[in-house]
Amino acid sequence: MRLDKAALIDRGSKLRFSFDGVGYTAHPGDTLASALMANGVRLVGRSFKYHRPRGVVAAGSDEPNALVTIGQGAEQDPNVRATVQEVFDGLSARSQNRWPSLGFDAMGVNDLFAPFLGAGFYYKTFMWPKAFWEKLYEPVIRRAAGLGALSGLPNEAKYEKAFAYCDLLVIGAGPAGLMAALSAARAGADVILADEDARMGGRLLAETGEVDGRPGVEWAEATIAELTQMPNVRLMPRTTVTGAYDQGTFGALERVASHLADPPADMPRECFWRIVARAAVLAGGALERQIAFQNNDRPGIMTASAARAYANRWAVAPGRRVAVFGNNAGIYQTARDLMAAGIEVPVVVDTREGAAEDVGTRVIEGAVVAGADGRKGVREIVVRRPNGAVRFAAEGLAVSGGWNPAVHLTCHMGGRPEWDAELAAFVPRRGAVPGLFPAGAARGVFGTAGCLADGARVADEALTALGHKPQALNVPRAEDGAYDIAPMWVVPGKGRAWLDFQNDVTAKDVRQAAAENFQSVEHMKRYTTQGMATDQGKGSSVQALAILADATGRTVSETGTTTFRPPYSPVSIAAMGAGGQGKGFAPERLTTSHAATLEMGAPMMEAGLWYRPSYFPKAGETTWREACDREAAMVRDSVGVCDVSTLGKIDIQGPGAAALLDFVYTGTFSTLKEGRVRYGLMLREDGTVMDDGTTARIGPQHYVMTTTTAAAGQVMQHLDFVTQCLRPDLDVAFTSVTEHWAQFAVAGPRAKELLEGLCDGPIDLPFMGCGPVSVGGLAGRLFRISFSGEHAYEIALPARYGDALFRALVARAEELGGGAYGMEALNVLRIEKGFITHAEIHGRVTAFDVGMQGMVSAKKDCVGKTMSQRAGLMDPGRERLVGLRPVDGGELPMIGGAHLFAEGDAPVRVNDQGYITSVAFCPALGESRALGFLKRGPDRMGERIKAVDHVRGETVICEVVDPVAFDREGGRLRD
Amino acid sequence: MRLTCPICGERDRREFYYKGDAVALSRPDPDAGEAAWDSYMHLRDNPAGQTRDLWYHASGCGAWIAVTRDTVTHEILKTELAGEAHNAAG
C-alpha cells in the first residue's frame, strides 16, 4: 500500500515492472521490495524446506526471504534480494522455489510433515542404503528444497574487475560514515566512501530525526554534495565491501548496471573491486533482529527498522493496520513514525514493564506477541500477558528484538567479536583487523548523535595513525533517546517459532541439536543449517546462539559465535572472476605465419597458449592422416618448412654466461666453440628432467638458448632463480627473445638448395653449426640443427619479416617438390628418430630413464646432479625409454597412454610394466612406432610385450625395439 | 595480501609466484652428503609465527624476493632481494 506522504521517490514519473508475469507500476527511488509493497503484494517467496509463504522482513541486503530471479535466458540472475534491486522500466522478476505458482505451491505439503523434518532429519533418515543417497535421495531433496536456479547457459554479460587505492576507505555512508569521510577529506586524505545502497545516507534516509535543526536526509545530501566537490574523495554507491584481507586489502562488489533498463553495451553489469587502503573506517551500521514467536514468519511481519524505512523513505506499508512489538525503546519511535505516516497502530506490545511512552495509541507492557494468524499474510496477532491473551487485527507487525552491530568485516581475519551484556549484542574486538577502525553503530554506538560524533572521532584516530593532522570538525546536533533493551530471544510457547527464515530453522531445532549433544556452536550450525545460505544468519544467528546458550547452561559469551567469512553478502562468481573467462583465461599467442597458415587451410591446434598448424591439407585429401603421411614423406624426400618460433628463445650475455650454462645444463657449454650449437638437458634440483633444447654460441660471451614451447616460461623463471638465488656471483644478463625472432625449420635433402636460392650468398654450415645469414639484405641467424633427422636448418629473422619469410620459404619449397608441414608430421618425424618431447620428459623421468645419463658431466656440478645420482633414480629396474613396434608390422591403433604388461600377465595394476607416451604411423618404415617407458627397457630388446589401452579397449602385442627407428647412424642429418 | 618488491614497490600478491622456504638460498656443496641434501630438498619447518620464504615477481620485474613474515598475524616483516639475502648468508 502506497501512503500519501512525502518520500524519497519521484512520484512524477512511473516505471513499469512485472512480478510473476503480473504488471505493476513503481517510481524512481523504489526497490523491488518497496514497489511490491506499494502494490499490495505481501507474499514474495516460499521458504527453502517447508515452502512456507514468506514476505519482506528487511529493507537492506540482510533480507532472507524476498529472493527473486531477475531477467531471462543466459542473463537470468537468481537469488537477487528484492530489497536491494532497484526498479527500472521493464524489470521482470519471478519468485523462486515454488510449483506451480507462488500462491499455490504443491510442495507446501512439506509443511504438514514438519514434525518429521526437524533438525538433522536428512542425516538420520537417508543414511541407508548407502547407494540410494546419490541416485535417489539427494536429487529429490535438491528439487524440493532450494533457492533460485541458474539458466544453465553461458553468461554473456560483461563483468569487470578493478583496483583502487586510498588513504582511508570509509565503509558505509550513514551518519558515522559521512562524518568520517568528511573529517578525513577536509584533512586532505585520499578517501573512498563506499555504500551498498543506491543512495548514500544510511539510516538518515529512513528515520525522521533531525540533524543540525533540519531533516537528516537534508544534512546527508548537503554533506554528500560537499564530498562530491572534493577532488580527494571518491564516492562509490551501490558498492558492498564484501571482505577484509591482509595488508589493508578489501574486496568490494559494485553493481554497475543492474539497476538500468538499457545499459550501454560496453557497461559491465558488476565490477569486483580490490581496494587497497592504508586505513579503513567500518561504519556499516547495525542490523535489527526479531523476536521469535509462533508463526512469526507470516508475510507482513518485519523488523521495526524496516517498517520505519518503508514508511519514511518509500511511503509504503504492508497494510493499513500495523502493530508494534519489541524489547527496547525503538518501538515507540516506530509507532510514532507509522502513525505520522497515516498508518493505524492498533497496539504497541512492550516486553518490558514501566518503560511505556505516550504515543497516542494502546500500549501493553510486560507482554509478548505469542502468535500470528493468516497463512499468506498476517491477519491477526495474539498478545499474551500473564493474565490472559488478547487478539488484535493487523495486516502488519513491526518487531524489534534489538540491534546487532555489523561486525562481519572485523572478523574476516580470524578475530571473534566480544559479547556486550549491556547492549545484548556482539561488538568488534579492538584491533581485530589491523588498520580497520569500527565506528558508530558498527561498534555498538547506537543513535544518530552518537554515530555523528563517533564517526568524526574514529576518522581522526585513523588519520593520526597515518600521520595526517586531523582538522577539528564541528559535530552536528542530533538527539538520541535511550536504547534501554531487555533481552528477549524467543517467546515461550507451543508451535514453531522461526529463527532462520532462509533455512527454516526454529527455536525448537536449536534446542533439539543441543539435546542431541551438538552443543558447540559450529556443530549446532551444521546440524540445523542455522545461519547458512545467502544471508548467513544476519537476522537470526544471535538469537540462535542465545537459545543454544540457554539450552546448554552457558552464557552467550561462553557459547561464542560461528566463524564469519567473506563475502559479507553474495558475490557472483562472474564478477570475482571477471576477465578470467574464455580468451581472458587463455589468451591466444599467434605466430607470424598464422595468417598464411590459415590461408592454406590448415586446422590449428593449441600448444599451450600458442596456435600451431596440425597439417596443410591438399586437394583430394579427406583425412588428416593422408596429409600427415604426405608431409612426412615430403621432408624425407625433398624439403619441408615449419614454423618453430613458439620455442622459447633466451638471449644470454656476459662474462658469466658460459658458467651459467654449465650450471643449468647437465652438459658443458663453456667448451662450446663460437659458431656451434649443442644439445642440452636441464634438470630440476631433485634430479628430474625439466627441459631440453639447443644452445648456440654466437659470440665469446653471447649465447642463444632454445627451450621447448611448453617450458619456455618455466626455464626463464629457473634462470632467474639460479642467477639471483644460487649464483649471484655470476656476471650475466639474459632476456626472453621468443617474440623477437620468427624462426622456421627448413628440413630435407633439398633444404640447402632451398636456402641458397633465397639467401644472399652460399650456405656453408657444418652439422650443429650456426652463423649470421642475410636474406634480401636483412640480417638474420641460421642454425644447422634438426628435429626430423634430415639435413636441416632453422632460419631466423626479426619477427616483423616472419610473414614474408614464411611465404617465400613455402613457395620455394613447393618449387622443389616440398612444402609446409604441420605438427602431425613433425611428430611423426621425431618419433621415427626417437627424439623426445614433453610427452616423454613429463616431470617424472630422469636422464637415466631417457638414456641420457652419459650427458650428465662428471667434471662439474650442475643443478640436479647430486640428487639424480640417488640409487633409486639409477635403478636398472626403473621404467626406461624404449621403442615399440607391432609384432605383425602394420599399424598400431593410436594407443598413447596404453600400459605395458608381460604377454602372459593379466592387464591389472600390480602387473604394470610401463606405458606408451607417443605413437605414430611412420611412412618411412611402413609401420607404426611407439615410444614408451618399460621396466628394464634397454635390457629387453626383442621381447614381446602387451600394450593394453583400458580406455579404448585395445590390446596390441608389440616388440621392444631401439627408440631410434630411422637412420640410426645419423648419416642423413650430417650428410 | 600485499608484498613490497624492493625494485617495484608494494604490489598485490597475484603478481608473485610462491616457491617456498628461503632455505633454497643455502644450496649444499655437491659432496655435502645425503643428510644435507635431504634436508635442503625435503625437510621443512611449519612454524606458527615467523617464517622466511622466496617469492618471484613473475608479473613484474622478475626479481626473486626473500620475504620474512608471520604466519599467524600475516604481517610482512621484511622483504629483500634474494641475491642480497644470499650474499648476507655468505
Side-chain angles (χ1 to χ4, degrees):
Chain A
M1 175 182 93
R2 185 77 78 181
L3 306 167
D4 183 20
K5 66 178 282 289
L8 303 182
I9 50 170
D10 175 12
R11 291 181 194 260
S13 59
K14 271 188 179 170
L15 304 171
R16 277 171 296 278
F17 74 101
S18 72
F19 179 64
D20 280 344
V22 180
Y24 299 103
T25 60
H27 298 298
D30 266 323
T31 64
L32 180 57
S34 70
L36 287 170
M37 212 178 287
N39 286 282
V41 178
R42 284 195 296 175
L43 171 60
V44 295
R46 288 275 175 170
S47 72
F48 184 75
K49 186 166 153 189
Y50 300 120
H51 292 250
R52 284 170 69 91
R54 292 283 166 79
V56 173
V57 302
S61 67
D62 50 328
E63 171 63 35
N65 285 340
L67 304 183
V68 298
T69 298
I70 304 285
Q72 311 282 341
E75 302 264 301
Q76 174 170 320
D77 199 1
N79 305 330
V80 173
R81 287 143 298 169
T83 50
V84 171
Q85 177 65 49
E86 297 164 62
V87 175
F88 54 80
D89 206 41
L91 171 69
S92 156
R94 282 166 288 151
S95 58
Q96 301 181 163
N97 199 32
R98 80 287 188 268
W99 184 86
S101 72
L102 186 58
F104 174 74
D105 180 358
M107 296 305 290
V109 71
N110 276 11
D111 203 25
L112 302 176
F113 296 119
F116 309 102
L117 294 172
F121 167 71
Y122 299 133
Y123 302 128
K124 290 171 187 164
T125 311
F126 298 111
M127 290 179 68
W128 187 91
K130 197 178 166 200
F132 276 33
W133 175 255
E134 228 175 82
K135 292 195 172 70
L136 179 64
Y137 297 146
E138 190 178 359
V140 170
I141 292 168
R142 283 207 182 278
R143 204 162 55 231
L147 299 167
L150 293 165
S151 67
L153 301 168
N155 186 352
E156 303 293 345
K158 283 194 168 60
Y159 293 83
E160 190 54 274
K161 63 181 171 194
F163 285 80
Y165 302 84
C166 60
D167 293 326
L168 189 72
L169 169 66
V170 180
I171 302 159
L178 287 173
M179 283 302 287
L182 193 63
S183 180
R186 286 192 186 163
D190 283 327
V191 176
I192 291 178
L193 175 60
D195 191 281
E196 65 177 348
D197 205 325
R199 180 164 181 164
M200 292 193 166
R203 287 300 302 177
L204 293 176
L205 308 179
E207 307 288 5
T208 50
E210 294 195 335
V211 177
D212 256 357
R214 51 181 168 164
V217 178
E218 284 182 21
W219 178 83
E221 272 185 354
T223 306
I224 292 159
E226 179 180 345
L227 291 169
T228 306
Q229 299 298 317
M230 301 176 82
N232 53 330
V233 178
R234 176 182 204 158
L235 299 176
M236 297 181 71
R238 299 187 180 90
T239 303
T240 308
V241 176
T242 55
Y245 305 91
D246 291 320
Q247 281 83 44
T249 307
F250 294 84
L253 182 73
E254 181 185 6
R255 290 170 295 280
V256 183
S258 47
H259 63 293
L260 298 177
D262 191 17
D266 57 350
M267 183 180 272
R269 180 189 277 185
E270 295 175 340
C271 179
F272 189 74
W273 289 89
R274 292 183 179 92
I275 301 173
V276 181
R278 296 177 64 213
V281 170
L282 174 62
L287 301 169
E288 197 169 29
R289 62 199 183 215
Q290 299 205 32
I291 298 170
F293 57 85
Q294 183 176 14
N295 291 338
N296 61 319
D297 63 333
R298 292 308 188 203
I301 301 177
M302 60 179 60
T303 63
S305 57
R308 292 201 301 280
Y310 286 115
N312 294 333
R313 177 172 173 181
W314 290 289
V316 294
R320 299 204 170 279
R321 286 164 62 87
V322 177
V324 180
F325 168 43
N327 62 0
N328 62 79
I331 54 176
Y332 295 101
Q333 186 61 44
T334 306
R336 276 191 284 267
D337 284 2
L338 293 178
M339 290 160 76
I343 298 163
E344 184 188 339
V345 177
V347 63
V348 177
V349 182
D350 192 338
T351 63
R352 305 165 302 167
E353 293 277 8
E357 295 176 25
D358 181 7
V359 291
T361 189
R362 185 171 175 188
V363 175
I364 306 180
E365 295 180 84
V368 294
V369 173
D373 288 339
R375 187 166 166 77
K376 291 180 198 167
V378 64
R379 283 196 314 269
E380 209 171 49
I381 59 167
V382 181
V383 178
R384 197 174 67 208
R385 284 179 296 179
N387 59 352
V390 197
R391 286 179 168 266
F392 288 88
E395 292 151 358
L397 177 67
V399 184
S400 179
W403 291 82
N404 296 322
V407 299
H408 306 68
L409 290 171
T410 68
C411 302
H412 282 177
M413 286 169 66
R416 301 277 172 156
E418 287 169 336
W419 180 250
D420 183 321
E422 196 181 327
L423 291 176
F426 285 100
V427 295
R429 194 179 293 273
R430 204 176 156 76
V433 171
L436 178 64
F437 298 79
R443 70 175 191 97
V445 176
F446 299 146
T448 306
C451 285
L452 292 166
D454 203 48
R457 191 193 62 72
V458 172
D460 288 354
E461 191 188 337
L463 289 175
T464 307
L466 294 183
H468 280 264
K469 192 169 155 40
Q471 306 263 313
L473 204 62
N474 285 331
V475 176
R477 283 172 292 111
E479 278 188 26
D480 287 342
Y483 179 38
D484 196 16
I485 184 172
M488 171 174 277
W489 314 106
V490 58
V491 174
K494 285 193 205 163
R496 286 177 289 165
W498 302 87
L499 296 172
D500 185 331
F501 295 143
Q502 196 159 90
N503 296 293
D504 276 346
V505 179
T506 64
K508 189 181 153 202
D509 289 327
V510 174
R511 292 189 189 281
Q512 187 184 335
E516 295 185 21
N517 213 23
F518 293 100
Q519 302 198 349
S520 147
V521 59
E522 299 284 8
H523 289 156
M524 179 276 286
K525 170 176 176 170
R526 280 150 189 85
Y527 196 56
T528 60
T529 68
Q530 161 66 44
M532 295 186 178
T534 68
D535 73 326
Q536 291 284 295
K538 286 193 181 67
S540 59
S541 282
V542 174
Q543 296 96 297
L545 297 177
I547 292 166
L548 181 67
D550 181 56
T552 56
R554 295 174 294 183
T555 63
V556 176
S557 183
E558 287 164 347
T559 305
T561 64
T562 53
T563 309
F564 293 85
R565 295 188 181 87
Y568 173 76
S569 60
V571 178
S572 60
I573 298 291
M576 214 178 280
Q581 278 178 294
K583 297 300 175 203
F585 176 71
E588 290 171 321
R589 296 181 80 182
L590 304 181
T591 61
T592 57
S593 64
H594 192 77
T597 301
L598 290 183
E599 286 167 26
M600 294 164 78
M604 303 302 274
M605 63 192 288
E606 293 177 34
L609 299 177
W610 289 103
Y611 285 77
R612 305 185 74 181
S614 294
Y615 55 95
F616 293 85
K618 283 267 188 281
E621 289 172 348
T622 54
T623 68
W624 69 270
R625 263 291 301 283
E626 289 174 72
C628 172
D629 289 357
R630 171 182 50 75
E631 289 171 14
M634 173 185 88
V635 174
R636 296 268 180 250
D637 295 340
S638 55
V639 61
V641 174
C642 178
D643 193 331
V644 293
S645 308
T646 61
L647 273 70
K649 297 179 277 293
I650 301 173
D651 194 276
I652 303 171
Q653 299 189 36
L660 170 64
L661 291 167
D662 282 352
F663 191 62
V664 296
Y665 275 133
T666 62
T668 307
F669 283 75
S670 50
T671 55
L672 184 66
K673 290 185 173 64
E674 269 180 66
R676 304 294 285 196
V677 185
R678 190 166 281 171
Y679 174 79
L681 195 66
M682 208 176 274
L683 304 182
R684 303 194 308 230
E685 193 69 276
D686 65 5
T688 307
V689 177
M690 175 192 287
D691 197 37
D692 69 347
T694 58
T695 287
R697 187 168 202 170
I698 58 178
Q701 299 180 358
H702 190 181
Y703 293 81
V704 177
M705 172 189 281
T706 60
T707 74
T708 59
T709 300
Q714 186 191 358
V715 169
M716 190 68 193
Q717 176 175 323
H718 180 61
L719 295 184
D720 273 332
F721 177 75
V722 167
T723 52
Q724 294 176 43
C725 296
L726 302 182
R727 297 294 305 275
D729 56 301
L730 296 177
D731 183 4
V732 60
F734 52 89
T735 191
S736 169
V737 292
T738 303
E739 275 89 356
H740 188 89
W741 295 95
Q743 193 154 318
F744 302 94
V746 181
R750 303 187 76 174
K752 185 175 180 191
E753 185 182 346
L754 185 158
L755 287 174
E756 286 190 322
L758 181 76
C759 301
D760 314 328
I763 303 297
D764 183 25
L765 275 183
F767 178 57
M768 299 301 268
C770 68
V773 70
S774 173
V775 182
L778 298 167
R781 289 172 180 169
L782 190 65
F783 309 86
R784 190 167 157 202
I785 52 179
S786 175
F787 197 52
S788 59
E790 296 302 321
H791 182 126
Y793 300 85
E794 288 187 12
I795 182 169
L797 279 187
R800 61 188 177 279
Y801 305 113
D803 178 69
L805 179 60
F806 179 72
R807 291 175 192 273
L809 288 168
V810 171
R812 283 174 189 275
E814 286 173 349
E815 286 166 18
L816 297 175
Y821 65 103
M823 290 304 102
E824 298 292 355
L826 179 140
N827 197 42
V828 167
L829 295 165
R830 69 98 189 168
I831 288 173
E832 288 176 346
K833 287 295 293 178
F835 291 148
I836 56 175
T837 66
H838 275 286
E840 283 72 40
I841 46 174
H842 50 53
R844 290 178 298 144
V845 305
T846 63
F848 178 76
D849 297 339
V850 292
M852 294 190 187
Q853 66 274 20
M855 285 187 57
V856 184
S857 168
K859 294 180 187 156
K860 63 172 185 75
D861 184 24
C862 73
V863 173
K865 180 178 171 182
T866 303
M867 296 306 267
S868 76
Q869 291 165 345
R870 285 178 286 175
L873 296 188
M874 304 288 277
D875 182 347
R878 286 177 66 83
E879 293 165 347
R880 301 176 67 195
L881 184 69
V882 293
L884 295 164
R885 63 177 289 272
V887 285
D888 303 328
E891 293 196 30
L892 275 175
M894 289 297 147
I895 51 175
H899 279 252
L900 305 176
F901 301 91
E903 202 175 353
D905 279 353
V908 293
R909 185 185 54 79
V910 288
N911 295 329
D912 197 351
Q913 302 257 313
Y915 52 93
I916 288 177
T917 50
S918 303
V919 185
F921 178 76
C922 301
L925 307 171
E927 63 181 38
S928 291
R929 281 295 164 132
L931 297 177
F933 290 85
L934 177 67
K935 284 182 179 170
R936 296 186 295 104
D939 306 331
R940 298 170 72 174
M941 292 299 146
E943 268 188 39
R944 286 161 67 96
I945 204 89
K946 181 166 64 180
V948 181
D949 183 336
H950 290 87
V951 177
R952 299 179 188 81
E954 307 265 13
T955 298
V956 182
I957 306 299
C958 299
E959 179 192 348
V960 181
V961 295
D962 191 288
V964 186
F966 181 76
D967 185 30
R968 296 192 57 189
E969 294 71 34
R972 294 175 70 92
L973 78 171
R974 288 191 182 82
D975 275 348
Chain B
M1 182 176 174
R2 311 274 298 166
L3 287 173
T4 300
C5 170
I7 294 171
C8 306
E10 190 191 299
R11 298 298 172 105
D12 188 86
R13 66 122 177 102
R14 286 165 191 76
E15 296 185 10
F16 297 87
Y17 166 91
Y18 174 74
K19 182 176 176 73
D21 198 292
V23 70
L25 293 170
S26 310
R27 187 174 184 267
D29 289 336
D31 54 1
E34 272 185 21
W37 276 94
D38 181 41
S39 173
Y40 176 68
M41 290 301 298
H42 304 301
L43 303 183
R44 295 291 179 269
D45 292 331
N46 184 22
Q50 197 165 314
T51 186
R52 188 158 166 265
D53 35 36
L54 292 179
W55 297 71
Y56 178 57
H57 199 185
S59 302
C61 61
W64 280 93
I65 300 162
V67 177
T68 308
R69 64 192 177 93
D70 190 306
T71 60
V72 177
T73 64
H74 296 191
E75 197 177 351
I76 307 292
L77 301 164
K78 185 181 182 186
T79 59
E80 58 188 324
L81 289 175
E84 288 166 14
H86 174 97
N87 289 336

